Amino acid sequence: MDEYNRFVDWEKMDVTVQSQDPKELSCTEFQELKQLARQGYWAKNHSLRAKVYHKLINNIPCRTVTPDANVYRDIVVKIIGKRSSSSLPLPEFVDNSLVPTYCLNAEGIGAVRKIILCVANQFPDISFCPALPSVTALLLHYSRDEAECFEKVCRILACNDPSKRLIDQTFLAFESSCMTFGDLVNKYCQAAHKLMVAVSEDVLEVYSDWQRWLFGELPMVYIARVFDVFLVEGYKVLFRVALALLKFFHKVRAGQPKESDNVQQDIRSFVRNIAKSVTPERLLEKAFAIRLFSRKEIQLLQMANEKALQQKGITVKQKRQNVHLAVHAENFKSEIVSVKEMRDIWSWIPERFALCQPLLLFTTLEHGCSLNRFYSHSEGHEPTLLLIKTTAKEVCGAFLSTDWSERRRGGNKLSFFGTGECFVFRLQPEVERYEWVIIKHPELALSVSEPENHASGSSSTLSSSSIPADPSDRLSPFLSARHFNLPSKTASMFMAGSSECIIIGGGDGQALYLDADLNHGRTSHCDTFNNQPLCSESFQISVLEVWGFRD
């Protein structure tokens, strides 16, 4: 089968990968290479894929001193000794990860353990890297000997290009990527997320499995196709494919009885047996059909999640804090929502804030119906959660990412602020979360229409003309501009406040307007998104609460 067959059990391999066409890859331009990787140009030729991997990995910018094949030949005997390779213990940083065989023969299965132990010897700074066994087993397929595979793995681990994230090597990086994935699911797979909340006590624990779906459960032919694109495009591809897997799982699972009481195990089983329902081509097609945030926006979110974990002192592996621990039944009391409803809300918010506990800042029952007192109790807290119960027993609210003190930046003029993480929601009579639709350009604020019988111009509701028609325009920056010294034009517009009113709006065409006395409110609803109104068009407020987030 050629020089790259030493570790492969060809009886277990898909015979189509033994095709000899095409034989060469001559392109070097990124865009062309990207298209070929997505199309599976080298997927049908084992030898060609090996050569492409060699070329792509050799082009990874690495540390000045990166262990190579010669280092492996020098250290392997010293480290392994006369021990049987099949019984070698793996380093703790792989976290008891599965060691996929990926159609390797007996020699290959033993070689994976040897290579990982030698990598651990050369990279003492690695503290958590559960993807390493899978990556090593896969690359061994496309290596002439153990030393060559070792060098490939080392180059991936030693990448020093800050814009090219490859494999998580610390618990902080791994955990923040799990949180980031949870945030992306919340935005791009809302139906699947709703299912996870319904069937799982801890959705964070389910989403912490996302890398295992790829580097552990996904069959060889699938992960190889994913890895083809990963080496060209980077880490974002992994998020895309994991989101696609969750979408397919939801499609298969929806309406069916539970296979077990453990949705985490159900997803693993689905991914393991994905060939029954989805082809590799269909999986990638689904993954790249998702209009995901830009690489920079995802990096900002990852940074924010890492910062939140560091502030909580979570930098080494420990038991994840789930929603039930964040919202304590014995310490939580609201006149608007139950503990269960608050836990549902907690499952919607960005995961770095889900680490915190709710803290009541303001309630009209105690502090009165004064907008000034609303501001004075809410300012200095970021983010906040607004809850409203109407006299008609409707319950709605909003997650507000930005401090209300930002309203002063517009002077006496009503101006919008906020970020793309804001959203509005309804709990009664039916539960619904409305995704924020960004207004990308500040000049679009001029399209905000004045409410009837309000001549001051200081209060307004969002008109449907402010909603982008192109779905691609709904991609939004996550974070406040000042957090990362970004120009103000990159910020979203979701919240507005003055001494006369509050406006919160835009989520899937929904907008909420509250009068200064906090007794009355109105909503506007755009039919563009074919969803139900947030609440009655005009309503009286029974109770209003503002909640903060306590470490």
Side-chain angles (χ1 to χ4, degrees):
M1 190 52 213
D2 69 34
E3 57 191 332
Y4 296 102
N5 70 343
R6 174 176 171 181
F7 302 106
V8 181
D9 185 342
W10 286 103
E11 292 183 1
K12 297 178 181 177
M13 285 285 286
D14 183 350
V15 293
T16 59
V17 302
Q18 301 181 45
S19 166
Q20 292 302 305
D21 293 317
K23 294 182 180 180
E24 299 296 334
L25 181 71
S26 57
C27 78
T28 56
E29 293 295 324
F30 173 76
Q31 286 299 329
E32 185 179 357
L33 203 57
K34 176 179 169 181
Q35 289 303 315
L36 293 177
R38 292 187 180 192
Q39 294 166 6
Y41 181 82
W42 52 81
K44 299 295 186 183
N45 188 305
H46 189 84
S47 179
L48 178 60
R49 179 180 262 156
K51 293 173 183 176
V52 172
Y53 280 11
H54 181 78
K55 179 179 179 179
L56 293 174
I57 293 173
N58 272 2
N59 288 336
I60 294 174
C62 294
R63 304 171 192 170
T64 304
V65 179
T66 297
D68 60 13
N70 289 328
V71 170
Y72 182 81
R73 297 184 184 103
D74 290 341
I75 66 174
V76 63
V77 174
K78 187 185 306 182
I79 293 173
I80 305 304
K82 296 182 179 180
R83 292 179 293 176
S84 168
S85 58
S86 62
S87 61
L88 291 173
L90 292 177
E92 287 186 10
F93 65 65
V94 302
D95 193 41
N96 297 316
S97 297
L98 298 175
V99 183
T101 58
Y102 288 154
C103 306
L104 293 172
N105 57 27
E107 183 185 5
I109 293 170
V112 171
R113 292 178 174 269
K114 292 166 63 178
I115 293 167
I116 291 173
L117 284 178
C118 290
V119 166
N121 175 266
Q122 294 296 300
F123 288 84
D125 53 332
I126 295 180
S127 59
F128 198 79
C129 191
L132 187 59
S134 173
V135 171
T136 304
L138 182 63
L139 289 175
L140 196 57
H141 260 271
Y142 306 103
S143 302
R144 285 169 287 200
D145 56 33
E146 294 173 13
E148 183 179 302
C149 180
F150 170 84
E151 181 173 329
K152 285 186 172 79
V153 173
C154 288
R155 290 194 65 83
I156 289 174
L157 293 172
C159 175
N160 63 357
D161 182 350
S163 66
K164 194 179 180 73
R165 181 190 180 104
L166 291 177
I167 295 179
D168 297 328
Q169 299 173 44
T170 66
F171 182 74
L172 181 62
F174 173 83
E175 189 75 351
S176 65
S177 74
C178 293
M179 293 170 66
T180 300
F181 178 71
D183 289 328
L184 295 175
V185 172
N186 206 348
K187 182 170 182 64
Y188 294 105
C189 305
Q190 292 186 17
H193 182 67
K194 192 173 182 179
L195 174 65
M196 296 303 108
V197 172
V199 301
S200 172
E201 289 189 357
D202 185 3
V203 292
L204 307 186
E205 192 70 28
V206 175
Y207 297 152
S208 71
D209 241 13
W210 79 278
Q211 288 196 31
R212 175 174 173 150
W213 303 343
L214 303 174
F215 298 114
E217 305 292 357
L218 208 56
M220 161 73 187
V221 66
Y222 290 78
I223 187 58
R225 286 295 306 277
V226 172
F227 208 76
D228 292 346
V229 190
F230 167 73
L231 286 178
V232 177
E233 301 186 41
Y235 199 89
K236 185 178 175 181
V237 169
L238 304 182
F239 282 134
R240 285 188 175 279
V241 175
L243 288 170
L245 287 170
L246 197 59
K247 282 177 175 286
F248 279 121
F249 171 77
H250 173 259
K251 183 178 180 180
V252 170
R253 175 69 174 267
Q256 294 183 0
K258 291 193 294 184
E259 295 178 23
S260 71
D261 293 329
N262 190 330
V263 71
Q264 194 172 29
Q265 293 296 336
D266 291 348
I267 297 176
R268 291 176 184 177
S269 176
F270 170 77
V271 175
R272 242 186 342 263
N273 299 290
I274 193 171
K276 296 178 180 178
S277 54
V278 182
T279 64
E281 292 74 21
R282 182 73 185 99
L283 178 63
L284 289 179
E285 180 185 332
K286 186 78 167 178
F288 290 107
I290 300 171
R291 293 181 177 272
L292 205 58
F293 290 124
S294 71
R295 185 174 284 104
K296 182 176 181 180
E297 289 168 336
I298 290 176
Q299 287 174 344
L300 291 179
L301 181 58
Q302 190 95 11
M303 289 167 59
N305 284 332
E306 285 192 8
K307 183 178 179 181
L309 288 167
Q310 288 172 324
Q311 289 173 341
K312 296 285 287 186
I314 303 174
T315 57
V316 296
K317 188 182 180 186
Q318 52 190 264
K319 176 66 178 175
R320 294 177 68 96
Q321 174 175 301
N322 62 33
V323 171
H324 286 67
L325 294 179
V327 183
H328 294 282
E330 61 273 17
N331 298 329
F332 175 78
K333 183 179 180 182
S334 167
E335 299 300 325
I336 299 178
V337 297
S338 66
V339 171
K340 181 186 181 305
E341 287 172 325
M342 194 60 146
R343 286 172 177 168
D344 287 343
I345 296 170
W346 235 242
S347 73
W348 296 334
I349 65 177
E351 293 215 10
R352 64 187 184 279
F353 301 125
L355 297 170
C356 304
Q357 297 177 22
L359 173 66
L360 184 61
L361 303 176
F362 173 86
T363 169
T364 52
L365 294 180
E366 179 180 343
H367 301 106
C369 299
S370 165
L371 190 54
N372 286 334
R373 282 198 288 273
F374 171 96
Y375 288 138
S376 65
H377 283 80
S378 302
E379 287 177 4
H381 294 271
E382 183 178 284
T384 54
L385 186 70
L386 175 69
L387 298 175
I388 296 172
K389 184 176 184 179
T390 72
T391 55
K393 308 299 184 184
E394 299 167 308
V395 175
C396 62
F399 173 78
L400 306 171
S401 66
T402 306
D403 192 330
W404 276 106
S405 62
E406 287 290 297
R407 75 188 191 283
R408 298 199 187 95
R409 301 181 79 175
N412 294 325
K413 182 182 177 181
L414 187 72
S415 60
F416 282 82
F417 54 96
T419 76
E421 287 186 314
C422 296
F423 61 87
V424 292
F425 57 87
R426 183 184 69 222
L427 294 177
Q428 297 289 345
E430 294 178 353
V431 177
E432 187 68 49
R433 174 180 177 270
Y434 301 93
E435 181 183 357
W436 170 227
V437 181
I438 188 172
I439 305 176
K440 278 200 167 183
H441 307 288
E443 61 270 19
L444 289 181
L446 299 175
S447 67
V448 173
S449 61
E450 296 183 2
E452 288 184 35
N453 305 321
H454 203 291
S456 70
S458 64
S459 61
S460 55
T461 56
L462 293 177
S463 69
S464 60
S465 63
S466 66
I467 299 170
D470 183 355
S472 66
D473 284 343
R474 297 173 66 183
L475 306 188
S476 60
F478 271 115
L479 307 168
S480 297
R482 67 179 184 281
H483 288 173
F484 297 96
N485 298 318
L486 298 176
S488 59
K489 66 180 182 180
T490 64
S492 309
M493 294 183 290
F494 184 90
M495 310 157 56
S498 70
S499 60
E500 300 180 24
C501 70
I502 285 175
I503 301 173
I504 299 166
D508 279 357
Q510 305 285 346
L512 182 66
Y513 170 86
L514 303 180
D515 290 331
D517 61 8
L518 296 184
N519 277 319
H520 300 86
R522 298 192 295 278
T523 61
S524 70
H525 170 237
C526 174
D527 291 331
T528 304
F529 297 97
N530 194 29
N531 52 37
Q532 296 299 312
L534 188 62
C535 61
S536 301
E537 186 174 347
S538 179
F539 58 86
Q540 285 190 308
I541 297 172
S542 173
V543 187
L544 183 149
E545 295 176 348
V546 179
W547 291 80
F549 293 75
R550 178 177 59 197
D551 290 337

